[in-house]
Amino acid sequence: QMQLVESGGGLVEAGGSLRLACAASGRTFSTYAMGWFRQAPGKEREFVSTLNISTGKTHYADSVKGRFTISRDSAKQSLYLQMNSLKPEDTAVYYCVVATIAHYSGNSLPTNSREYDIWGQGTQVTVSS
C-alpha cells in the first residue's frame, strides 16, 4: 500500500507564498496521476491541480491558474505545490492525492475526487487578509 505525508502548510499573509510537499512511500510504481485537493471549512472538497506521471502534463483549477505550480521529483518520490500570490480564499486543508493504475478512470488528468484512491492526511494553509 502507498502512504502520503504532506508538509509545508502554515499561516501566511495575503500576497505571500508557501510550498507544500508530499512524500510518497510504498507501492509508488502503481501511480498514474498525482495531485492536490483542498477543503475549506463548511465547503466541499475541491480540485486544485493534477500531474500525469507518464506525460508530465498538468492541469489547474481556474481559481489557482497562474498562481500555483505543481511539480514532482521522481528521485525523491515527492510532489510539490508552489503557491504564490495567496489570497484569503485559498485558506483550506490541502490534501495530496494519488490515482493508481488499478483505479484508472479513463481520464489522464483526473479532476474528480472519486478518481483518486489514495489520500494524505492533509496540511492546513491559512491566509490572513
Side-chain angles (χ1 to χ4, degrees), residues 33-40 44-52 57-65 67-68 70 79 81 90 92-95 97 107-116 119:
M34 298 184 74
W36 296 91
F37 277 73
R38 67 186 182 186
Q39 187 167 21
E44 292 188 356
R45 196 166 290 185
E46 67 170 343
F47 167 77
V48 175
S49 181
T50 186
L51 181 151
N52 184 286
K57 290 185 177 180
T58 60
H59 181 62
Y60 298 90
D62 288 343
S63 59
V64 306
K65 200 172 294 183
R67 300 188 298 122
F68 290 11
I70 191 171
L79 184 73
L81 186 68
D90 293 320
V93 176
Y94 283 71
Y95 297 90
V97 295
N107 184 357
S108 63
L109 291 169
T111 60
N112 190 301
S113 62
R114 289 190 293 271
E115 296 177 287
Y116 292 89
W119 291 68

Side-chain angles (χ1 to χ4, degrees), residues 8-19 83 85-88 90-91 124-129:
L11 174 63
V12 64
E13 291 185 350
S17 298
L18 280 175
R19 187 188 191 216
M83 305 186 295
S85 302
L86 282 162
K87 305 175 181 180
D90 293 320
T91 295
Q124 176 70 47
V125 171
T126 302
V127 184
S128 63
S129 57

